[in-house]
Amino acid sequence: MSASPSHAEMAQFPVAGRELLVGGQPLSRLAARIGQTPFYVYSRELLNQRVQQLRAALPLEVSLHYAMKANPMPALVQHMVGLVNGIDVASSGELQVALDAGAAPHEISFAGPGKRDPELVQAVAAGVLVNVESARELPVLAAASQQLGLPARVALRVNPDFELKGSGMKMSGGPKQFGVDAEQVAGVLAQVRQLGLQFEGFHLFAGSQNLKAESICEAQCKSYELALRLVQESGLDIRFLNLGGGFGIPYFPGERPLELAPIGENLAQLVDRAKADMPQAQIVIELGRYLVGEAGLYVCRVVDKKVSRGLTYLVCDGGLHHHLANSGNFGQVVRKNYPVTIGNRQGAPLELVSAVGPLCTPLDLLADRMQLPAAEIGDLLVVYQSGAYGPSASPARFLGHPAVVEALV
Ligand SMILES: *Cc1c(COP(=O)(O)O)cnc(C)c1O
């Protein structure tokens, strides 16, 4: 079947007859098994494949972390714990899920601005690494350490003096709420020492959703140089150097998958340099979207098909309350269509339609004038690339429709 020309080519889910196969099952059967629409489904096999591709492309020495804010479903996090070297959490809620999923405390790091005091105490009690974003966290960690009689393990998140070019979301360079400005690191490190905290490394995270290998390589090199300078200036040994991530996935027309080979070669050079420059340091990269985004589908049902002044609408039982990103309201400047199809009409003649959700707002758009396989009421509309920033990043209670269900197959 030919995918709609209006989005990036999707090939990760095979087709049998008219049906997409997920985890080896035809989509309609899976929908019956789950017992309701809308739902999200994530494929273990695709998660495994993605990690295998990364392992094959990146040097063995690089430690691969999963940033679980991309998809915090407990069963999926548990699956990822078995595949990656560490889990990055961004709240005490996520910390709880990671620990429940069986992640070892020494494999967990905790980043995020505005960590509340009780969260910092929880992190020390759990024995996880805290990526410090502000000097304010330091005395709280020191007090927790004293009270609990446990070391407070800290790394410093650095806001570098550069940004990640071509990122969907920039998270470094210039004034930022994230991390400690590179210029302030020396002073903060002096406090770390004075408070007796266990300093373990640096964390740099330049941005998100980048499809240009050269930009990612450039950011990794600059991050490395900056960290090296900070190591040399401070005279401190580090155990971890987290170079961030930002690996993107294709969503829109003309977007091409990220090339891993150049990133692997670049990291191999940095790993080699690190052996001489900072021999105790483990190089870490942390990925969210890239690990899980392509492994997931959002599936909803067509409940009405109507024509308004010449445009055919598919009205579905799912929408932006479950999938804000697909509606274009999560970080997009100009709305573009996510890759969408009709999961049980593969190969059918195409029809120009708009697909919308059930909410009383024109923002609730699943597909804006796309060529989709001709659909009938009862069919299953599928949004690809939905494994990251789905339900947990959507306003579930808006308009009071039923909650979405998630399945890992
Ligand atoms: C959000 C975030 C990630 C994950 O970003 P992706 O674009 O999903 O890979 C990793 N690290 C930090 C610090 C983050 O805030």
Side-chain angles (χ1 to χ4, degrees):
M1 85 116 209
S2 73
S4 154
S6 49
H7 59 71
E9 188 79 31
M10 294 294 116
Q12 67 268 48
F13 293 93
V15 172
R18 296 275 179 201
E19 298 256 352
L20 285 186
L21 296 182
V22 187
Q25 278 193 26
L27 190 66
S28 319
R29 178 173 168 190
L30 183 67
R33 193 276 264 168
I34 289 173
Q36 73 154 73
T37 53
F39 60 89
Y40 277 88
V41 60
Y42 315 114
S43 156
R44 293 173 204 270
E45 191 189 337
L46 291 177
L47 295 169
N48 297 348
Q49 275 177 23
R50 179 45 55 100
V51 172
Q52 278 160 16
Q53 287 160 358
L54 276 162
R55 298 281 192 203
L58 306 185
L60 284 174
E61 295 93 333
V62 168
S63 187
L64 182 61
H65 282 206
Y66 174 49
M68 65 170 276
K69 81 168 190 275
N71 188 329
M73 181 203 189
L76 181 140
V77 174
Q78 185 159 17
H79 187 75
M80 298 308 288
V81 167
L83 294 176
V84 298
N85 307 104
I87 305 289
D88 292 329
V89 304
S91 68
S92 58
E94 287 191 358
L95 174 60
Q96 188 62 46
V97 173
L99 290 167
D100 287 346
H106 68 267
E107 295 169 342
I108 298 177
S109 56
F110 180 8
K115 298 185 196 76
R116 288 167 291 117
D117 292 4
E119 292 184 294
L120 292 166
V121 177
Q122 283 173 279
V124 174
V128 304
L129 182 69
V130 176
N131 290 332
V132 166
E133 311 249 359
S134 156
R136 187 202 64 86
E137 298 177 18
L138 302 177
V140 182
L141 289 164
S145 168
Q146 284 228 311
Q147 230 161 44
L148 294 163
L150 292 167
R153 304 176 49 218
V154 302
L156 218 56
R157 178 166 180 182
V158 181
N159 174 26
D161 32 21
F162 57 86
E163 50 182 43
L164 177 51
K165 285 181 203 148
S167 268
M169 235 180 252
K170 293 193 170 72
M171 292 174 64
S172 74
K176 283 286 178 297
Q177 73 267 51
F178 306 111
V180 172
D181 292 350
E183 311 82 271
Q184 295 178 14
V185 166
V188 174
L189 281 178
Q191 271 178 277
V192 167
R193 249 184 293 210
Q194 192 219 330
L195 288 166
L197 305 175
Q198 186 169 310
F199 178 68
E200 300 196 4
F202 292 110
H203 174 217
L204 294 105
F205 182 78
S208 206
Q209 181 50 19
N210 201 308
L211 288 169
K212 295 199 189 82
E214 322 99 84
S215 305
I216 290 174
C217 292
E218 188 188 321
Q220 287 175 341
C221 286
K222 286 183 173 169
S223 298
Y224 183 88
E225 298 303 341
L226 175 56
L228 178 60
R229 200 181 83 216
L230 297 171
V231 166
Q232 287 170 343
E233 283 171 7
S234 68
L236 290 167
D237 272 342
I238 62 170
R239 294 190 47 216
F240 299 104
L241 173 53
N242 185 333
L243 292 177
F247 297 19
I249 62 172
Y251 292 96
F252 307 121
E255 289 189 341
R256 309 214 19 94
L258 180 66
E259 279 183 75
L260 287 180
I263 298 174
E265 285 159 29
N266 188 58
L267 281 172
Q269 286 174 14
L270 295 180
V271 164
D272 270 352
R273 288 184 58 194
K275 282 177 187 157
D277 291 337
M278 38 183 111
Q280 315 300 325
Q282 171 97 55
I283 304 276
V284 179
I285 59 166
E286 54 177 11
L287 304 175
R289 187 193 309 269
Y290 190 78
L291 289 176
V292 298
E294 302 197 48
L297 300 175
Y298 176 61
V299 183
C300 56
R301 206 176 282 281
V302 178
V303 294
D304 196 359
K305 181 173 184 178
K306 59 189 257 194
V307 178
S308 168
R309 307 216 161 102
L311 181 58
T312 300
Y313 282 89
L314 304 177
V315 185
C316 302
D317 62 3
L320 77 75
H321 53 310
H322 301 150
H323 203 331
L324 186 67
N326 171 66
S327 76
N329 294 292
F330 187 71
Q332 279 191 48
V333 181
V334 178
R335 186 189 185 280
K336 292 183 237 167
N337 287 319
Y338 262 47
V340 170
T341 191
I342 305 298
N344 60 320
R345 298 271 181 194
Q346 296 298 290
L350 300 179
E351 181 180 30
L352 184 77
V353 297
S354 280
V356 299
L359 306 190
C360 298
T361 160
L363 298 177
D364 191 13
L365 203 48
L366 289 153
D368 184 18
R369 280 159 292 171
M370 275 179 92
Q371 295 282 351
L372 297 182
E376 300 301 333
I377 290 172
D379 283 349
L380 296 169
L381 182 130
V382 166
V383 183
Y384 291 101
Q385 309 299 72
S386 295
Y389 304 109
S392 68
S394 301
R397 296 178 59 189
F398 189 36
L399 273 103
H401 287 279
V404 72
V405 169
E406 294 175 278
L408 177 67
V409 298

PDB file of all heavy atoms in Angstrom, residues 293-325:
ATOM      1  N   GLY A 293       9.113   6.702  20.537  1.00  0.00           N
ATOM      2  CA  GLY A 293       8.123   7.410  19.725  1.00  0.00           C
ATOM      3  C   GLY A 293       7.561   6.603  18.575  1.00  0.00           C
ATOM      4  O   GLY A 293       6.358   6.610  18.304  1.00  0.00           O
ATOM      5  N   GLU A 294       8.451   5.889  17.865  1.00  0.00           N
ATOM      6  CA  GLU A 294       7.997   5.177  16.664  1.00  0.00           C
ATOM      7  C   GLU A 294       7.343   3.841  16.984  1.00  0.00           C
ATOM      8  O   GLU A 294       6.773   3.199  16.108  1.00  0.00           O
ATOM      9  CB  GLU A 294       9.178   4.985  15.703  1.00  0.00           C
ATOM     10  CG  GLU A 294       9.800   6.320  15.316  1.00  0.00           C
ATOM     11  CD  GLU A 294      10.674   6.247  14.078  1.00  0.00           C
ATOM     12  OE1 GLU A 294      10.230   5.667  13.073  1.00  0.00           O
ATOM     13  OE2 GLU A 294      11.796   6.769  14.132  1.00  0.00           O
ATOM     14  N   ALA A 295       7.445   3.420  18.246  1.00  0.00           N
ATOM     15  CA  ALA A 295       6.912   2.111  18.634  1.00  0.00           C
ATOM     16  C   ALA A 295       5.443   2.175  19.037  1.00  0.00           C
ATOM     17  O   ALA A 295       4.862   1.150  19.382  1.00  0.00           O
ATOM     18  CB  ALA A 295       7.736   1.533  19.791  1.00  0.00           C
ATOM     19  N   GLY A 296       4.852   3.368  18.983  1.00  0.00           N
ATOM     20  CA  GLY A 296       3.494   3.494  19.494  1.00  0.00           C
ATOM     21  C   GLY A 296       2.502   4.035  18.486  1.00  0.00           C
ATOM     22  O   GLY A 296       2.851   4.817  17.590  1.00  0.00           O
ATOM     23  N   LEU A 297       1.255   3.584  18.615  1.00  0.00           N
ATOM     24  CA  LEU A 297       0.146   4.077  17.808  1.00  0.00           C
ATOM     25  C   LEU A 297      -0.936   4.594  18.746  1.00  0.00           C
ATOM     26  O   LEU A 297      -1.134   4.053  19.841  1.00  0.00           O
ATOM     27  CB  LEU A 297      -0.479   2.949  16.976  1.00  0.00           C
ATOM     28  CG  LEU A 297       0.382   2.199  15.975  1.00  0.00           C
ATOM     29  CD1 LEU A 297      -0.436   1.056  15.362  1.00  0.00           C
ATOM     30  CD2 LEU A 297       0.889   3.141  14.891  1.00  0.00           C
ATOM     31  N   TYR A 298      -1.634   5.622  18.283  1.00  0.00           N
ATOM     32  CA  TYR A 298      -2.879   6.035  18.930  1.00  0.00           C
ATOM     33  C   TYR A 298      -4.002   5.594  18.007  1.00  0.00           C
ATOM     34  O   TYR A 298      -3.943   5.828  16.797  1.00  0.00           O
ATOM     35  CB  TYR A 298      -2.900   7.546  19.118  1.00  0.00           C
ATOM     36  CG  TYR A 298      -4.199   8.078  19.698  1.00  0.00           C
ATOM     37  CD1 TYR A 298      -4.632   7.675  20.956  1.00  0.00           C
ATOM     38  CD2 TYR A 298      -4.979   8.988  18.998  1.00  0.00           C
ATOM     39  CE1 TYR A 298      -5.808   8.164  21.499  1.00  0.00           C
ATOM     40  CE2 TYR A 298      -6.164   9.489  19.534  1.00  0.00           C
ATOM     41  CZ  TYR A 298      -6.573   9.070  20.792  1.00  0.00           C
ATOM     42  OH  TYR A 298      -7.746   9.554  21.327  1.00  0.00           O
ATOM     43  N   VAL A 299      -4.986   4.925  18.572  1.00  0.00           N
ATOM     44  CA  VAL A 299      -6.064   4.347  17.761  1.00  0.00           C
ATOM     45  C   VAL A 299      -7.404   4.830  18.298  1.00  0.00           C
ATOM     46  O   VAL A 299      -7.692   4.695  19.495  1.00  0.00           O
ATOM     47  CB  VAL A 299      -6.019   2.797  17.819  1.00  0.00           C
ATOM     48  CG1 VAL A 299      -7.096   2.196  16.924  1.00  0.00           C
ATOM     49  CG2 VAL A 299      -4.630   2.289  17.411  1.00  0.00           C
ATOM     50  N   CYS A 300      -8.220   5.393  17.414  1.00  0.00           N
ATOM     51  CA  CYS A 300      -9.575   5.774  17.810  1.00  0.00           C
ATOM     52  C   CYS A 300     -10.551   5.335  16.720  1.00  0.00           C
ATOM     53  O   CYS A 300     -10.140   4.886  15.642  1.00  0.00           O
ATOM     54  CB  CYS A 300      -9.669   7.270  18.104  1.00  0.00           C
ATOM     55  SG  CYS A 300      -9.152   8.347  16.769  1.00  0.00           S
ATOM     56  N   ARG A 301     -11.838   5.432  17.029  1.00  0.00           N
ATOM     57  CA  ARG A 301     -12.832   4.899  16.106  1.00  0.00           C
ATOM     58  C   ARG A 301     -13.605   6.031  15.439  1.00  0.00           C
ATOM     59  O   ARG A 301     -13.888   7.050  16.065  1.00  0.00           O
ATOM     60  CB  ARG A 301     -13.797   3.983  16.865  1.00  0.00           C
ATOM     61  CG  ARG A 301     -14.436   2.929  15.992  1.00  0.00           C
ATOM     62  CD  ARG A 301     -15.312   1.979  16.802  1.00  0.00           C
ATOM     63  NE  ARG A 301     -14.594   0.955  17.557  1.00  0.00           N
ATOM     64  CZ  ARG A 301     -14.093  -0.163  17.029  1.00  0.00           C
ATOM     65  NH1 ARG A 301     -14.203  -0.404  15.737  1.00  0.00           N
ATOM     66  NH2 ARG A 301     -13.483  -1.041  17.789  1.00  0.00           N
ATOM     67  N   VAL A 302     -13.934   5.822  14.180  1.00  0.00           N
ATOM     68  CA  VAL A 302     -14.757   6.783  13.457  1.00  0.00           C
ATOM     69  C   VAL A 302     -16.200   6.607  13.939  1.00  0.00           C
ATOM     70  O   VAL A 302     -16.760   5.515  13.814  1.00  0.00           O
ATOM     71  CB  VAL A 302     -14.667   6.549  11.931  1.00  0.00           C
ATOM     72  CG1 VAL A 302     -15.564   7.526  11.179  1.00  0.00           C
ATOM     73  CG2 VAL A 302     -13.217   6.636  11.452  1.00  0.00           C
ATOM     74  N   VAL A 303     -16.773   7.668  14.512  1.00  0.00           N
ATOM     75  CA  VAL A 303     -18.158   7.553  14.987  1.00  0.00           C
ATOM     76  C   VAL A 303     -19.147   8.258  14.072  1.00  0.00           C
ATOM     77  O   VAL A 303     -20.341   8.038  14.155  1.00  0.00           O
ATOM     78  CB  VAL A 303     -18.336   8.078  16.439  1.00  0.00           C
ATOM     79  CG1 VAL A 303     -17.586   7.220  17.430  1.00  0.00           C
ATOM     80  CG2 VAL A 303     -17.911   9.508  16.570  1.00  0.00           C
ATOM     81  N   ASP A 304     -18.647   9.099  13.186  1.00  0.00           N
ATOM     82  CA  ASP A 304     -19.548   9.776  12.252  1.00  0.00           C
ATOM     83  C   ASP A 304     -18.749  10.145  11.006  1.00  0.00           C
ATOM     84  O   ASP A 304     -17.521  10.330  11.082  1.00  0.00           O
ATOM     85  CB  ASP A 304     -20.139  11.043  12.906  1.00  0.00           C
ATOM     86  CG  ASP A 304     -21.359  11.588  12.165  1.00  0.00           C
ATOM     87  OD1 ASP A 304     -21.750  11.002  11.126  1.00  0.00           O
ATOM     88  OD2 ASP A 304     -21.916  12.607  12.622  1.00  0.00           O
ATOM     89  N   LYS A 305     -19.458  10.188   9.885  1.00  0.00           N
ATOM     90  CA  LYS A 305     -18.828  10.653   8.650  1.00  0.00           C
ATOM     91  C   LYS A 305     -19.824  11.602   8.015  1.00  0.00           C
ATOM     92  O   LYS A 305     -20.970  11.221   7.751  1.00  0.00           O
ATOM     93  CB  LYS A 305     -18.540   9.467   7.723  1.00  0.00           C
ATOM     94  CG  LYS A 305     -17.850   9.865   6.419  1.00  0.00           C
ATOM     95  CD  LYS A 305     -17.440   8.632   5.609  1.00  0.00           C
ATOM     96  CE  LYS A 305     -16.667   9.050   4.369  1.00  0.00           C
ATOM     97  NZ  LYS A 305     -16.204   7.896   3.586  1.00  0.00           N
ATOM     98  N   LYS A 306     -19.420  12.835   7.851  1.00  0.00           N
ATOM     99  CA  LYS A 306     -20.369  13.822   7.328  1.00  0.00           C
ATOM    100  C   LYS A 306     -19.655  14.787   6.399  1.00  0.00           C
ATOM    101  O   LYS A 306     -18.431  14.947   6.465  1.00  0.00           O
ATOM    102  CB  LYS A 306     -21.057  14.550   8.477  1.00  0.00           C
ATOM    103  CG  LYS A 306     -20.119  15.276   9.412  1.00  0.00           C
ATOM    104  CD  LYS A 306     -20.839  15.784  10.653  1.00  0.00           C
ATOM    105  CE  LYS A 306     -21.100  17.281  10.554  1.00  0.00           C
ATOM    106  NZ  LYS A 306     -21.500  17.882  11.839  1.00  0.00           N
ATOM    107  N   VAL A 307     -20.469  15.426   5.541  1.00  0.00           N
ATOM    108  CA  VAL A 307     -19.901  16.355   4.576  1.00  0.00           C
ATOM    109  C   VAL A 307     -20.374  17.760   4.934  1.00  0.00           C
ATOM    110  O   VAL A 307     -21.562  17.983   5.167  1.00  0.00           O
ATOM    111  CB  VAL A 307     -20.348  15.994   3.139  1.00  0.00           C
ATOM    112  CG1 VAL A 307     -19.778  17.000   2.139  1.00  0.00           C
ATOM    113  CG2 VAL A 307     -19.906  14.572   2.794  1.00  0.00           C
ATOM    114  N   SER A 308     -19.425  18.681   5.023  1.00  0.00           N
ATOM    115  CA  SER A 308     -19.790  20.073   5.250  1.00  0.00           C
ATOM    116  C   SER A 308     -19.236  20.921   4.122  1.00  0.00           C
ATOM    117  O   SER A 308     -18.017  21.019   3.963  1.00  0.00           O
ATOM    118  CB  SER A 308     -19.230  20.555   6.589  1.00  0.00           C
ATOM    119  OG  SER A 308     -19.355  21.966   6.671  1.00  0.00           O
ATOM    120  N   ARG A 309     -20.121  21.489   3.322  1.00  0.00           N
ATOM    121  CA  ARG A 309     -19.736  22.370   2.209  1.00  0.00           C
ATOM    122  C   ARG A 309     -18.589  21.786   1.395  1.00  0.00           C
ATOM    123  O   ARG A 309     -17.578  22.426   1.161  1.00  0.00           O
ATOM    124  CB  ARG A 309     -19.386  23.762   2.731  1.00  0.00           C
ATOM    125  CG  ARG A 309     -20.497  24.333   3.602  1.00  0.00           C
ATOM    126  CD  ARG A 309     -20.690  25.815   3.451  1.00  0.00           C
ATOM    127  NE  ARG A 309     -21.998  26.192   3.948  1.00  0.00           N
ATOM    128  CZ  ARG A 309     -22.243  26.763   5.135  1.00  0.00           C
ATOM    129  NH1 ARG A 309     -21.256  27.083   5.939  1.00  0.00           N
ATOM    130  NH2 ARG A 309     -23.471  27.048   5.485  1.00  0.00           N
ATOM    131  N   GLY A 310     -18.747  20.514   1.084  1.00  0.00           N
ATOM    132  CA  GLY A 310     -17.813  19.878   0.167  1.00  0.00           C
ATOM    133  C   GLY A 310     -16.634  19.187   0.837  1.00  0.00           C
ATOM    134  O   GLY A 310     -15.899  18.458   0.178  1.00  0.00           O
ATOM    135  N   LEU A 311     -16.407  19.408   2.140  1.00  0.00           N
ATOM    136  CA  LEU A 311     -15.300  18.722   2.810  1.00  0.00           C
ATOM    137  C   LEU A 311     -15.854  17.580   3.670  1.00  0.00           C
ATOM    138  O   LEU A 311     -16.797  17.775   4.449  1.00  0.00           O
ATOM    139  CB  LEU A 311     -14.497  19.694   3.684  1.00  0.00           C
ATOM    140  CG  LEU A 311     -13.284  19.088   4.411  1.00  0.00           C
ATOM    141  CD1 LEU A 311     -12.275  18.453   3.452  1.00  0.00           C
ATOM    142  CD2 LEU A 311     -12.575  20.151   5.269  1.00  0.00           C
ATOM    143  N   THR A 312     -15.277  16.380   3.489  1.00  0.00           N
ATOM    144  CA  THR A 312     -15.721  15.219   4.249  1.00  0.00           C
ATOM    145  C   THR A 312     -15.006  15.169   5.596  1.00  0.00           C
ATOM    146  O   THR A 312     -13.783  15.294   5.651  1.00  0.00           O
ATOM    147  CB  THR A 312     -15.427  13.932   3.458  1.00  0.00           C
ATOM    148  OG1 THR A 312     -16.139  14.008   2.222  1.00  0.00           O
ATOM    149  CG2 THR A 312     -15.856  12.686   4.218  1.00  0.00           C
ATOM    150  N   TYR A 313     -15.799  15.005   6.641  1.00  0.00           N
ATOM    151  CA  TYR A 313     -15.247  14.898   7.995  1.00  0.00           C
ATOM    152  C   TYR A 313     -15.417  13.492   8.529  1.00  0.00           C
ATOM    153  O   TYR A 313     -16.502  12.912   8.431  1.00  0.00           O
ATOM    154  CB  TYR A 313     -15.971  15.854   8.954  1.00  0.00           C
ATOM    155  CG  TYR A 313     -15.518  17.290   8.816  1.00  0.00           C
ATOM    156  CD1 TYR A 313     -16.142  18.145   7.912  1.00  0.00           C
ATOM    157  CD2 TYR A 313     -14.461  17.770   9.582  1.00  0.00           C
ATOM    158  CE1 TYR A 313     -15.717  19.453   7.778  1.00  0.00           C
ATOM    159  CE2 TYR A 313     -14.031  19.083   9.453  1.00  0.00           C
ATOM    160  CZ  TYR A 313     -14.651  19.916   8.555  1.00  0.00           C
ATOM    161  OH  TYR A 313     -14.227  21.209   8.418  1.00  0.00           O
ATOM    162  N   LEU A 314     -14.330  12.966   9.100  1.00  0.00           N
ATOM    163  CA  LEU A 314     -14.437  11.770   9.929  1.00  0.00           C
ATOM    164  C   LEU A 314     -14.430  12.275  11.367  1.00  0.00           C
ATOM    165  O   LEU A 314     -13.464  12.911  11.799  1.00  0.00           O
ATOM    166  CB  LEU A 314     -13.245  10.840   9.717  1.00  0.00           C
ATOM    167  CG  LEU A 314     -12.984  10.383   8.279  1.00  0.00           C
ATOM    168  CD1 LEU A 314     -11.720   9.515   8.233  1.00  0.00           C
ATOM    169  CD2 LEU A 314     -14.185   9.618   7.719  1.00  0.00           C
ATOM    170  N   VAL A 315     -15.508  12.021  12.085  1.00  0.00           N
ATOM    171  CA  VAL A 315     -15.575  12.447  13.484  1.00  0.00           C
ATOM    172  C   VAL A 315     -15.277  11.224  14.337  1.00  0.00           C
ATOM    173  O   VAL A 315     -15.939  10.186  14.185  1.00  0.00           O
ATOM    174  CB  VAL A 315     -16.963  13.031  13.823  1.00  0.00           C
ATOM    175  CG1 VAL A 315     -16.964  13.588  15.247  1.00  0.00           C
ATOM    176  CG2 VAL A 315     -17.362  14.116  12.813  1.00  0.00           C
ATOM    177  N   CYS A 316     -14.275  11.330  15.183  1.00  0.00           N
ATOM    178  CA  CYS A 316     -13.754  10.156  15.893  1.00  0.00           C
ATOM    179  C   CYS A 316     -13.990  10.267  17.394  1.00  0.00           C
ATOM    180  O   CYS A 316     -14.278  11.349  17.903  1.00  0.00           O
ATOM    181  CB  CYS A 316     -12.263  10.016  15.623  1.00  0.00           C
ATOM    182  SG  CYS A 316     -11.894   9.871  13.865  1.00  0.00           S
ATOM    183  N   ASP A 317     -13.813   9.143  18.080  1.00  0.00           N
ATOM    184  CA  ASP A 317     -14.007   9.168  19.537  1.00  0.00           C
ATOM    185  C   ASP A 317     -12.739   9.557  20.291  1.00  0.00           C
ATOM    186  O   ASP A 317     -12.732   9.589  21.518  1.00  0.00           O
ATOM    187  CB  ASP A 317     -14.593   7.831  20.055  1.00  0.00           C
ATOM    188  CG  ASP A 317     -13.688   6.629  19.810  1.00  0.00           C
ATOM    189  OD1 ASP A 317     -12.565   6.806  19.283  1.00  0.00           O
ATOM    190  OD2 ASP A 317     -14.099   5.495  20.139  1.00  0.00           O
ATOM    191  N   GLY A 318     -11.670   9.854  19.576  1.00  0.00           N
ATOM    192  CA  GLY A 318     -10.444  10.309  20.234  1.00  0.00           C
ATOM    193  C   GLY A 318      -9.993  11.633  19.674  1.00  0.00           C
ATOM    194  O   GLY A 318     -10.392  12.028  18.572  1.00  0.00           O
ATOM    195  N   GLY A 319      -9.158  12.318  20.420  1.00  0.00           N
ATOM    196  CA  GLY A 319      -8.701  13.628  19.952  1.00  0.00           C
ATOM    197  C   GLY A 319      -7.648  14.222  20.852  1.00  0.00           C
ATOM    198  O   GLY A 319      -6.883  13.499  21.495  1.00  0.00           O
ATOM    199  N   LEU A 320      -7.650  15.555  20.917  1.00  0.00           N
ATOM    200  CA  LEU A 320      -6.529  16.227  21.589  1.00  0.00           C
ATOM    201  C   LEU A 320      -6.496  15.992  23.087  1.00  0.00           C
ATOM    202  O   LEU A 320      -5.462  16.184  23.717  1.00  0.00           O
ATOM    203  CB  LEU A 320      -6.495  17.730  21.250  1.00  0.00           C
ATOM    204  CG  LEU A 320      -7.452  18.727  21.890  1.00  0.00           C
ATOM    205  CD1 LEU A 320      -7.103  19.059  23.333  1.00  0.00           C
ATOM    206  CD2 LEU A 320      -7.397  20.025  21.088  1.00  0.00           C
ATOM    207  N   HIS A 321      -7.620  15.558  23.667  1.00  0.00           N
ATOM    208  CA  HIS A 321      -7.601  15.291  25.117  1.00  0.00           C
ATOM    209  C   HIS A 321      -6.715  14.097  25.437  1.00  0.00           C
ATOM    210  O   HIS A 321      -6.259  13.934  26.564  1.00  0.00           O
ATOM    211  CB  HIS A 321      -9.020  15.092  25.659  1.00  0.00           C
ATOM    212  CG  HIS A 321      -9.836  14.067  24.925  1.00  0.00           C
ATOM    213  ND1 HIS A 321      -9.961  14.053  23.550  1.00  0.00           N
ATOM    214  CD2 HIS A 321     -10.574  13.026  25.375  1.00  0.00           C
ATOM    215  CE1 HIS A 321     -10.745  13.041  23.203  1.00  0.00           C
ATOM    216  NE2 HIS A 321     -11.126  12.411  24.298  1.00  0.00           N
ATOM    217  N   HIS A 322      -6.476  13.237  24.430  1.00  0.00           N
ATOM    218  CA  HIS A 322      -5.531  12.123  24.611  1.00  0.00           C
ATOM    219  C   HIS A 322      -4.214  12.366  23.904  1.00  0.00           C
ATOM    220  O   HIS A 322      -3.210  11.747  24.239  1.00  0.00           O
ATOM    221  CB  HIS A 322      -6.114  10.818  24.049  1.00  0.00           C
ATOM    222  CG  HIS A 322      -7.395  10.398  24.667  1.00  0.00           C
ATOM    223  ND1 HIS A 322      -8.358   9.691  23.985  1.00  0.00           N
ATOM    224  CD2 HIS A 322      -7.883  10.595  25.915  1.00  0.00           C
ATOM    225  CE1 HIS A 322      -9.382   9.461  24.787  1.00  0.00           C
ATOM    226  NE2 HIS A 322      -9.123  10.006  25.952  1.00  0.00           N
ATOM    227  N   HIS A 323      -4.234  13.165  22.864  1.00  0.00           N
ATOM    228  CA  HIS A 323      -3.054  13.284  21.994  1.00  0.00           C
ATOM    229  C   HIS A 323      -2.879  14.737  21.578  1.00  0.00           C
ATOM    230  O   HIS A 323      -3.104  15.103  20.431  1.00  0.00           O
ATOM    231  CB  HIS A 323      -3.236  12.394  20.768  1.00  0.00           C
ATOM    232  CG  HIS A 323      -1.954  11.996  20.088  1.00  0.00           C
ATOM    233  ND1 HIS A 323      -0.825  12.792  20.112  1.00  0.00           N
ATOM    234  CD2 HIS A 323      -1.626  10.893  19.374  1.00  0.00           C
ATOM    235  CE1 HIS A 323       0.147  12.174  19.418  1.00  0.00           C
ATOM    236  NE2 HIS A 323      -0.314  11.015  18.974  1.00  0.00           N
ATOM    237  N   LEU A 324      -2.461  15.527  22.543  1.00  0.00           N
ATOM    238  CA  LEU A 324      -2.301  16.960  22.306  1.00  0.00           C
ATOM    239  C   LEU A 324      -1.280  17.218  21.204  1.00  0.00           C
ATOM    240  O   LEU A 324      -1.465  18.103  20.359  1.00  0.00           O
ATOM    241  CB  LEU A 324      -1.850  17.636  23.608  1.00  0.00           C
ATOM    242  CG  LEU A 324      -1.776  19.159  23.548  1.00  0.00           C
ATOM    243  CD1 LEU A 324      -3.165  19.758  23.391  1.00  0.00           C
ATOM    244  CD2 LEU A 324      -1.113  19.717  24.805  1.00  0.00           C
ATOM    245  N   ALA A 325      -0.193  16.431  21.190  1.00  0.00           N
ATOM    246  CA  ALA A 325       0.880  16.677  20.216  1.00  0.00           C
ATOM    247  C   ALA A 325       0.349  16.534  18.793  1.00  0.00           C
ATOM    248  O   ALA A 325       0.657  17.344  17.918  1.00  0.00           O
ATOM    249  CB  ALA A 325       2.038  15.713  20.462  1.00  0.00           C
TER     250      ALA A 325
END
